[in-house]
Amino acid sequence: MRSSDEEERVGSPPAQPAPETGPFVLRSLLEDVPLSADGDGHDIQITCVEFLDQNLYVGTSASELLHFVQIPPDPDDEAAQPSYILASRLLPAYHEPSSSTRPGIQQILLLPQVNKACILCNSTVTFYSLPELSPVFGTQQIRPCNWIGGIDLNTDLTSRARRDGASFVTVLVSLNKKMRVIKIGEEDARPHKIIDFAGSTISVRRESFACVANTRSYALLDVERLLKIPLFPISSLDDSQGGGGRVEDISGSGTGGISRSTSSAQGQYSGLDDRGHGRSTSLGAFISGGSRRHSYARSTDQTGRETPDRLFRESSPAPAVASITQPSREPSPATNKALPPPPDESSVDSSASIAAAPRAQTPVPPPVYLKPHITSPTPQEFLLVTGTGKEDPGVGMFVSLEGEVTRPTLEFGIYPEEIVVVGRGVGVEPTATSMDQDEEGFVLASMGRTIGDEVRHGLEIQRWDMNPGESAMEKFWLEPPEWARGPKPIGIRSIIGTNKVAFPEVTERLRLKRFQPFATRSIDASTLSLKNLDSRTASSLERVSGERELFENTDSLSKEWENQRNVEEQKFAQRLGEAQTGVVVWSGKTVWWVARNPLALQLDAVITSTMKSEGLAPTAYGSVDRQKLIELLNSLRGREAKTETEFVSLGYLKQRVGLIILMSILNSEPEDCSISDYNVCEEALLDGSLDPRVVLSVVPYLRHEIIEGSTGIWVHGGVRDDAYRFIGSMRPDSAGSESINESRLSADVLRFLKRFLSAWRKKKGFGSIGNEQEIFRSIDASLLFVLLQLDKSSPPGHARGKSARADLYDLVDHGVDCFERAVSILESHNRLYVLSRLYQSRKMAGDVLRTWRRIVESGADETGEFRDGEQRVREYLTKIRNGAVVKEYGVWLAARNPRLGVQVFAEDRSQVKFEPSQVVQILREGAPGSVKEYLEYLVFTKNHAEYINELIAYYLDIVTTKLEESPEARSSLAMTYESYRALRPPKPTYRQFITDNTIDEEWWHSRLRLLQLLGGSQGSASRYDVASILERIAPYTNELVPEVIILDGRQSRHEEALRLLTHGLGDYDTAINYCLLGGSSIYHPISGTMAREKLPSREEQAKLFDHLLSEFLRIEDISNRVEQTSSLLERFGGWFEVGHVLSLIPETWSVELVSGFLVSALRRIVRERHETMVAKALSGAENLQVTASLIGEIDKAGPSVET
């Protein structure tokens, strides 16, 4: 079979063979037909062709009928096509024509219902049996015959079942002066009716209604009732055909047209008896009751696309006689007028003579004889062709069975030689005979077109079932290949049978084939490229290779399985690559099938035409006309597949277009690609359900993420070829990088890939997706890589809103199928925090904490995602239930940050509980520096007094070690005392002073905590060992004065404590507190009050104040002494005896200095005296009250006698 068929759209003749983008194509049926037995008949032409049940019949101008039998192709040869062998060469009998012209075989009429064939050869019809063409009916012939046919198209012409039990087929035969209806059965051919219609050359019949034509005009016949309605002339220049629309009787009788002869060779003739039939007098069913007479108006529009107002028109004048005027005709009678009785023969002749009289005075141009064309696209319509000349355009008119125009007209570029209609038509109700036909209706017209200086013969193709102006009304031109073109028009015929035409190219493009993305590029090459362009991935490539080997080779299926799959796919695709056709064309010695151009092949040609570069070179993808591809996809949008082949083809086309657009984008500069390009590409790939691994294969940085699996990747052959070509074009350069490097992966490309892969991830769990594990492992790994690339431009910190980082988190949080590969990718990109979230998605607490520890220890948090890392570790440890993990990372955190670390073990909300003694032991072994923090938590927060001594020991170790090792520390303490004593009242307490002037060193903070513990703010001061502490601080009593004061108070050495407070520190307010609190604590709680039972008695307080007064009176600074003593006596005079105070006050002091004390003392004495008097009076009153109550009781009791 040749593949050089050419097809182009009308109006733009190509300079070179164009892709087959039209609705029909030619496929070879038989080449080099042996038109003559000796091979010398170069002038012999094919005149007609028929096909039925693998039998091909070819008639020639040499009056020979060639019978070929189809030989099926070798089933083992995928590319094999059916072949034909010549079974017989028949010379049908014919009567020698009166003229010297011998047209040869004029018609081949096959009647499978009765297994007969009627052969019209040189105006003689003979009968033969099917399929071997043996003569039947003896020597019966029909002559002279113009044509034979008129079979009812509403019947199944190929069915051998008897219709209504009939054992015959009714056909029409055209004689010179009459038409005859004959019935052909299996035993003989019998005449049935005579129709008075002379010179007919063609007929098409639907039940009893036949549309016929002679050399001048068309007419409608009712072959049952023998009625006729003349229609319009074939040539619109022919004015001789008047009287259109008049119903005429066509019954009659004539001489027999069926003859018998004793020798067909000698052409002797013997007639059969004719059987005349009277016509029916009822016309209602034929003409619907009304008059159908119309005037035939002259057309004013040469386009032929307007629907005429009336069925019959006057003819247009020829150019040569344009100035000649014609007499006007009378208007036709009203259509609602009652139908007159059919005229008799004489009246018709008389009317014709009268009408012809005035015409005799006007010169009439010579008639133009055009070949009539009649087809029937629907059971209710006939298509007739009219025109003005053979070189002028033709007009196709649709006429109903009642003679009314039903559709807008068609226009043919040139008046056709032959026409054929294909398809039942959009909107036409299917019938039993058209049920299997395609819905779209086309008319194929054979004609010759002048292209340049050459007349080229071919087929003009257009839709007949669409209205003018619609996009579907586009015309197409189809012609034979150049080697088969000839000077004569090509013949075309709608055959009685049908045949399946194989399209191997469709099979190859639609067949699923195994796609191996690494077949042309090894994994090593990909690895080299990645190592050179992104060093971060180098550490994971070996692991990738190992994973691919593990998942693809371990359980790989046998080669026999793949071979079996290929066989199955081939069989399925062969079925898709077959088209049913019932039209043949011929030219010269070649016969072709005219087959519907498969959707895949038709639109593939459109896709190929979008390549601006010649051929399909890889560089052509960069110059693809993406706009045309988008228009192609738009034409497919919303189109519903009606057949399995169309369904598969639509998916294939969407896949291929989407992939080509993507490859074009990858081969173009980013600024040359619009957002609509990406959107259309995404829509096409998703609607076509292309395996996403094929898409990944054309993206260099993602190809190595593909997992083929044991069963491999199977895609349409056409898609695979495009992908292979593109992959093969990406050759590594000298540096190892591919021609499409990372710079090509613009943000728009990455966002497209993100949307595409995310859409595919939503299909997880769909049962319709095969190889789900391999597909989604490849998708997840690729999507992770894409999101990492997009996230490079994200600002530091956590995800904000709808960002690439948020999508990245969402991906890993919901889990990925390619877990090991995802770990490798994140490691190579140093995205440890994202890696930790991936571990969290699988509840791998140990790996999460190990990853966080790496971030904290290395400080490698360039993206700023893991801020306050230690705090997050602490919070996470309180949520997990693995005790071993909590212990391990709690100790690590405690060693790194003791304050946070101990909270892990002390947190009440922690899922894992530890005993304090156990924690202390754990911390001593793993994080000794955090033991103090944990003890502080126990003592200060939990009030565990049993750990006070241990905590104090830690503090003392820190403080004494520092004082021992650092003279600066000792001098700093001494300076604090001097600085504090130098302050003038009012001044804060020493404790507040050193707190406000804290040194940010551990020993300083430890000393503050030590003072807090020794001061007994926890109410547990009596629980620590005073003696041991004194022993530890003995060498540093001058530096640790507050500590000594507290310990002296614990030992009831109040005089010494007050002395140090007054003279050692100069903290007078603390000394006063010491007296009030009885020395139990000089660091009382900041808020609240001490319990009353813990306060000393007033006598003890008075005793301590006496000691303090003595110390104040010994203050060296006289002003300080006077001030502090006066203040003490004034504020706390109630605790002093006036006489004792006066005995202590120096005589040199002015009374004014202690006036406040004396005034308050005198007031107190007066108050006490008054209180005593009031108490005495109250006691007297109480005594009187009690005595009165006693007397009253005695009176009530009365006297009593004692005996």
Side-chain angles (χ1 to χ4, degrees):
M1 182 182 69
R2 298 180 184 268
S3 59
S4 59
D5 302 340
E6 294 184 356
E7 187 172 328
E8 64 182 7
R9 294 184 177 181
V10 173
S12 56
Q16 57 183 3
E20 295 177 320
T21 58
F24 289 87
V25 293
L26 301 182
R27 289 296 181 263
S28 177
L29 190 160
L30 185 61
E31 297 179 6
D32 197 18
V33 178
L35 297 180
S36 65
D38 54 7
D40 294 334
H42 298 293
D43 56 342
I44 300 176
Q45 301 293 325
I46 298 175
T47 55
C48 54
V49 176
E50 258 298 357
F51 183 90
L52 179 65
D53 295 338
Q54 286 73 50
N55 292 274
L56 175 65
Y57 305 96
V58 179
T60 71
S61 59
S63 303
E64 290 184 331
L65 180 61
L66 310 181
H67 175 204
F68 296 89
V69 178
Q70 185 184 89
I71 305 300
D74 185 359
D76 297 331
D77 186 358
E78 299 178 358
Q81 296 293 325
S83 58
Y84 293 85
I85 60 173
L86 181 62
S88 64
R89 184 184 294 270
L90 177 67
L91 291 172
Y94 61 88
H95 183 73
E96 196 69 33
S98 57
S99 64
S100 59
T101 303
R102 294 184 180 180
I105 304 295
Q106 298 167 274
Q107 275 186 271
I108 303 174
L109 178 64
L110 304 183
L111 306 176
Q113 299 95 325
V114 293
N115 295 314
K116 297 297 182 290
C118 305
I119 309 300
L120 176 60
C121 178
N122 296 323
S123 302
T124 303
V125 177
T126 52
F127 304 95
Y128 300 87
S129 63
L130 291 178
E132 71 281 0
L133 297 182
S134 299
V136 294
F137 304 161
T139 58
Q140 270 189 325
Q141 297 178 349
I142 301 177
R143 61 180 186 182
C145 179
N146 298 324
W147 60 264
I148 183 171
I151 302 175
D152 183 7
L153 298 182
N154 286 350
T155 61
D156 186 358
L157 302 181
T158 61
S159 174
R160 286 177 168 79
R162 303 293 186 266
R163 183 184 180 188
D164 299 330
S167 59
F168 56 84
V169 177
T170 301
V171 299
L172 303 180
V173 178
S174 172
L175 306 178
N176 286 336
K177 297 183 179 181
K178 302 287 183 180
M179 290 177 60
R180 185 178 293 277
V181 181
I182 65 174
K183 293 186 177 181
I184 301 176
E186 294 189 356
E187 302 298 331
D188 60 1
R190 301 176 182 179
H192 179 58
K193 291 182 180 181
I194 295 177
I195 300 175
D196 188 10
F197 188 85
S200 62
T201 58
I202 188 173
S203 173
V204 176
R205 181 166 65 95
R206 293 283 186 179
E207 294 183 347
S208 64
F209 301 100
C211 185
V212 299
N214 53 25
T215 58
R216 307 290 291 271
S217 65
Y218 297 105
L220 282 176
L221 307 181
D222 185 338
V223 297
E224 293 294 332
R225 286 175 290 222
L226 301 178
L227 300 175
K228 179 184 77 171
I229 295 181
L231 295 179
F232 41 81
I234 301 172
S235 172
S236 57
L237 299 180
D238 188 356
D239 290 333
S240 64
Q241 305 299 310
R246 295 174 300 173
V247 179
E248 302 178 6
D249 177 58
I250 52 175
S251 63
S253 60
T255 58
I258 300 179
S259 64
R260 296 181 183 270
S261 64
T262 56
S263 174
S264 60
Q266 296 175 358
Q268 296 178 359
Y269 176 81
S270 63
L272 293 176
D273 292 340
D274 298 333
R275 300 181 180 180
H277 292 267
R279 64 178 178 84
S280 171
T281 59
S282 174
L283 305 176
F286 187 54
I287 60 175
S288 300
S291 172
R292 304 299 184 191
R293 295 166 56 190
H294 298 277
S295 63
Y296 190 70
R298 178 174 299 149
S299 172
T300 59
D301 186 1
Q302 293 294 329
T303 64
R305 300 302 296 168
E306 296 295 330
T307 303
D309 294 334
R310 297 182 178 272
L311 177 62
F312 304 109
R313 302 180 301 171
E314 294 182 0
S315 58
S316 301
V321 291
S323 60
I324 301 177
T325 59
Q326 304 235 357
S328 60
R329 301 183 181 181
E330 294 295 327
S332 60
T335 57
N336 60 355
K337 185 177 180 180
L339 182 68
D344 56 22
E345 195 80 16
S346 60
S347 62
V348 171
D349 294 342
S350 175
S351 299
S353 301
I354 296 173
R359 292 181 178 269
Q361 301 174 4
T362 304
V364 178
V368 177
Y369 294 99
L370 299 176
K371 183 177 181 180
H373 300 297
I374 305 174
T375 61
S376 180
T378 71
Q380 305 296 326
E381 293 176 300
F382 296 106
L383 172 60
L384 317 177
V385 181
T386 66
T388 58
K390 295 182 179 180
E391 303 299 326
D392 298 329
V395 176
M397 301 183 65
F398 294 89
V399 180
S400 69
L401 301 182
E402 298 175 352
E404 296 179 347
V405 174
T406 58
R407 297 175 184 267
T409 58
L410 296 177
E411 178 185 1
F412 300 97
I414 302 294
Y415 192 86
E417 297 288 341
E418 299 285 349
I419 64 169
V420 167
V421 292
V422 179
R424 68 171 183 266
V426 175
V428 178
E429 190 71 21
T431 63
T433 58
S434 64
M435 186 69 68
D436 296 333
Q437 298 179 10
D438 294 319
E439 184 178 16
E440 295 83 358
F442 289 90
V443 57
L444 288 68
S446 172
M447 63 182 64
R449 293 176 53 213
T450 301
I451 301 177
D453 297 333
E454 178 185 7
V455 176
R456 293 165 66 170
H457 296 278
L459 301 178
E460 182 185 85
I461 304 171
Q462 60 181 311
R463 294 286 294 270
W464 60 262
D465 56 349
M466 305 298 290
N467 292 326
E470 296 185 15
S471 59
M473 289 303 295
E474 185 178 17
K475 294 182 180 180
F476 296 87
W477 177 253
L478 178 65
E479 61 184 27
E482 187 175 358
W483 58 268
R485 295 172 189 164
K488 295 186 177 181
I490 64 174
I492 182 171
R493 176 176 176 80
S494 179
I495 60 177
I496 193 171
T498 59
N499 187 64
K500 290 183 178 180
V501 177
F503 289 86
E505 57 270 55
V506 175
T507 301
E508 282 299 303
R509 296 176 189 184
L510 296 185
R511 181 166 77 90
L512 294 184
K513 300 179 181 180
R514 184 163 187 175
F515 174 67
Q516 296 175 301
F518 306 102
T520 57
R521 295 291 309 278
S522 66
I523 181 63
D524 297 332
S526 179
T527 298
L528 174 62
S529 170
L530 289 166
K531 284 182 178 179
N532 287 327
L533 291 180
D534 193 344
S535 60
R536 295 173 301 176
T537 62
S539 61
S540 64
L541 289 173
E542 183 177 356
R543 186 174 181 178
V544 175
S545 179
E547 288 178 357
R548 180 173 292 108
E549 182 178 356
L550 173 64
F551 284 94
E552 295 179 8
N553 296 334
T554 302
D555 299 325
S556 59
L557 301 178
S558 63
K559 189 67 175 177
E560 289 74 14
W561 176 89
E562 184 174 346
N563 293 336
Q564 180 62 28
R565 173 75 184 268
N566 281 322
V567 171
E568 295 173 356
E569 296 295 346
Q570 178 68 23
K571 291 181 178 179
F572 178 73
Q574 282 179 339
R575 181 161 57 86
L576 299 178
E578 292 178 342
Q580 198 82 9
T581 182
V583 179
V584 295
V585 299
W586 60 88
S587 177
K589 296 183 178 182
T590 306
V591 182
W592 295 273
W593 295 111
V594 180
R596 290 286 183 115
N597 194 0
L599 182 64
L601 193 63
Q602 180 179 349
L603 297 187
D604 252 357
V606 177
I607 295 172
T608 303
S609 67
T610 63
M611 302 290 183
K612 298 178 182 179
S613 300
E614 294 185 1
L616 284 176
T619 55
Y621 293 109
S623 59
V624 166
D625 189 343
R626 290 193 292 270
Q627 186 58 39
K628 288 186 177 180
L629 293 179
I630 293 175
E631 293 174 359
L632 173 61
L633 285 176
N634 289 336
S635 68
L636 299 179
R637 184 175 287 112
R639 178 170 180 171
E640 295 183 1
K642 300 180 179 64
T643 63
E644 181 182 33
T645 300
E646 190 172 351
F647 176 80
V648 176
S649 298
L650 287 174
Y652 158 73
L653 291 167
K654 292 177 181 178
Q655 291 181 12
R656 188 177 181 215
V657 172
L659 186 63
I660 290 178
I661 293 178
L662 175 59
M663 294 186 296
S664 172
I665 290 173
L666 294 176
N667 247 343
S668 304
E669 296 299 329
E671 57 272 13
D672 295 335
C673 305
S674 65
I675 298 300
S676 63
D677 293 341
Y678 294 102
N679 294 337
V680 170
C681 178
E682 177 186 354
E683 179 184 359
L685 293 175
L686 291 175
D687 289 349
S689 298
L690 177 62
D691 192 315
R693 293 174 290 180
V694 180
V695 176
L696 299 178
S697 69
V698 302
V699 182
Y701 274 80
L702 301 181
R703 190 183 314 119
H704 63 280
E705 304 298 345
I706 296 175
I707 301 298
E708 293 186 57
S710 57
T711 57
I713 305 171
W714 294 79
V715 296
H716 295 295
V719 175
R720 187 186 76 157
D721 294 342
D722 285 323
Y724 276 165
R725 279 190 291 268
F726 189 79
I727 294 174
S729 69
M730 296 183 289
R731 304 298 182 189
D733 56 22
S734 58
S737 62
E738 292 174 310
S739 57
I740 298 179
N741 52 37
E742 187 176 8
S743 63
R744 292 283 187 178
L745 298 181
S746 64
D748 289 333
V749 173
L750 292 173
R751 282 191 287 268
F752 158 77
L753 291 171
K754 184 197 76 171
R755 294 192 304 270
F756 172 74
L757 296 174
S758 297
W760 257 97
R761 286 193 85 239
K762 295 178 182 178
K763 299 181 181 181
K764 281 188 178 182
F766 286 14
S768 59
I769 298 177
N771 299 327
E772 182 178 12
Q773 181 181 5
E774 292 80 6
I775 287 178
F776 290 111
R777 287 180 66 243
S778 303
I779 287 176
D780 288 349
S782 301
L783 181 58
L784 179 60
F785 179 87
V786 169
L787 291 174
L788 287 172
Q789 297 298 315
L790 286 172
D791 190 47
K792 287 180 178 180
S793 59
S794 299
H798 286 289
R800 298 182 179 90
K802 296 182 179 180
S803 61
R805 187 160 296 175
D807 294 332
L808 179 61
Y809 290 169
D810 183 71
L811 173 65
V812 297
D813 289 348
H814 288 83
V816 294
D817 292 349
C818 60
F819 180 76
E820 292 80 6
R821 177 57 186 151
V823 172
S824 175
I825 293 174
L826 293 172
E827 288 278 7
S828 65
H829 285 76
N830 198 28
R831 296 300 297 272
L832 298 183
Y833 175 70
V834 182
L835 176 60
S836 71
R837 296 185 70 125
L838 178 63
Y839 286 135
Q840 287 186 65
S841 69
R842 298 213 172 185
K843 303 186 183 302
M844 301 171 65
D847 295 278
V848 172
L849 292 166
R850 183 176 65 253
T851 306
W852 284 356
R853 180 168 65 182
R854 290 173 56 191
I855 299 174
V856 172
E857 291 178 347
S858 64
D861 187 23
E862 300 175 356
T863 57
E865 300 170 273
F866 196 61
R867 295 174 180 174
D868 300 327
E870 294 176 350
Q871 178 65 25
R872 299 189 64 174
V873 171
R874 183 197 70 80
E875 294 172 354
Y876 187 72
L877 287 172
T878 62
K879 299 176 182 178
I880 62 177
R881 300 178 181 272
N882 191 325
V885 174
V886 173
K887 176 182 175 181
E888 177 185 355
Y889 288 96
V891 170
W892 168 79
L893 183 58
R896 182 177 181 85
N897 189 332
R899 183 181 61 83
L900 285 176
V902 297
Q903 294 179 23
V904 174
F905 300 99
E907 179 64 56
D908 292 334
R909 297 174 300 172
S910 179
Q911 299 294 324
V912 179
K913 305 293 185 180
F914 294 92
E915 291 296 329
S917 58
Q918 182 185 3
V919 175
V920 172
Q921 183 63 30
I922 291 172
L923 293 177
R924 282 175 178 168
E925 294 176 357
S930 65
V931 175
K932 176 177 71 68
E933 294 286 345
Y934 185 68
L935 293 175
E936 288 178 345
Y937 168 78
L938 294 177
V939 173
F940 294 110
T941 305
K942 296 298 183 180
N943 293 322
H944 288 290
E946 62 269 25
Y947 295 100
I948 288 178
N949 281 322
E950 188 171 359
L951 181 57
I952 290 175
Y954 268 98
Y955 290 150
L956 288 175
D957 287 340
I958 295 172
V959 174
T960 57
T961 301
K962 184 66 176 180
L963 294 176
E964 181 181 355
E965 296 176 352
S966 175
E968 293 80 4
R970 293 194 296 271
S971 63
S972 64
L973 286 177
M975 289 182 63
T976 60
Y977 301 144
E978 295 177 3
S979 299
Y980 183 74
R981 287 194 296 267
L983 294 176
R984 299 300 297 173
K987 60 182 180 181
T989 63
Y990 179 75
R991 176 180 178 274
Q992 186 64 39
F993 175 76
I994 61 175
T995 300
D996 294 341
N997 296 276
T998 298
I999 299 175
D1000 191 15
E1001 292 186 16
E1002 182 184 8
W1003 71 273
W1004 188 273
H1005 292 289
S1006 296
R1007 187 191 176 218
L1008 293 179
R1009 286 286 192 172
L1010 177 61
L1011 289 173
Q1012 187 176 355
L1013 282 179
L1014 294 177
S1017 62
Q1018 284 70 41
S1020 55
S1022 61
R1023 299 190 182 186
Y1024 57 80
D1025 188 352
V1026 176
S1028 63
I1029 296 173
L1030 282 172
E1031 184 180 355
R1032 293 283 304 274
I1033 66 173
Y1036 310 103
T1037 54
N1038 294 329
E1039 287 81 10
L1040 303 176
V1041 176
E1043 289 82 350
V1044 174
I1045 294 172
I1046 296 172
L1047 294 176
D1048 285 342
R1050 293 295 179 264
Q1051 293 177 309
S1052 299
R1053 297 170 58 184
H1054 303 304
E1055 296 86 350
E1056 183 65 23
L1058 291 173
R1059 183 187 64 80
L1060 289 175
L1061 281 171
T1062 304
H1063 306 292
L1065 288 179
D1067 190 354
Y1068 309 122
D1069 289 341
T1070 302
I1072 293 173
N1073 287 336
Y1074 185 92
C1075 296
L1076 292 173
L1077 300 176
S1080 62
S1081 176
I1082 62 172
Y1083 290 95
H1084 57 80
I1086 297 175
S1087 62
T1089 59
M1090 293 181 65
R1092 180 174 294 275
E1093 60 272 10
K1094 294 183 179 182
L1095 293 176
S1097 64
R1098 191 172 182 83
E1099 290 76 12
E1100 291 176 351
Q1101 290 177 340
K1103 184 179 179 180
L1104 291 175
F1105 275 118
D1106 287 341
H1107 290 306
L1108 181 59
L1109 179 59
S1110 300
E1111 294 299 330
F1112 277 5
L1113 291 172
R1114 287 196 290 269
I1115 296 175
E1116 294 181 1
D1117 189 338
I1118 185 63
S1119 60
N1120 237 357
R1121 184 193 314 161
V1122 173
E1123 181 181 356
Q1124 295 301 326
T1125 302
S1126 300
S1127 176
L1128 176 64
L1129 291 175
E1130 184 177 356
R1131 293 169 59 195
F1132 301 98
W1135 277 266
F1136 294 97
E1137 292 290 337
V1138 177
H1140 180 67
V1141 172
L1142 292 176
S1143 65
L1144 294 177
I1145 296 298
E1147 296 179 356
T1148 58
W1149 284 24
S1150 170
V1151 175
E1152 186 180 358
L1153 295 177
V1154 292
S1155 60
F1157 167 70
L1158 293 175
V1159 170
S1160 63
L1162 291 175
R1163 287 176 178 173
R1164 185 172 65 253
I1165 292 173
V1166 173
R1167 184 175 64 251
E1168 290 176 355
R1169 180 183 177 185
H1170 290 167
E1171 290 175 354
T1172 302
M1173 291 174 67
V1174 171
K1176 184 178 180 180
L1178 290 174
S1179 296
E1182 184 179 7
N1183 184 44
L1184 290 175
Q1185 185 180 5
V1186 171
T1187 301
S1189 298
L1190 177 61
I1191 294 172
E1193 292 295 330
I1194 292 174
D1195 290 341
K1196 288 181 181 180
S1200 61
V1201 179
E1202 296 181 0
T1203 58

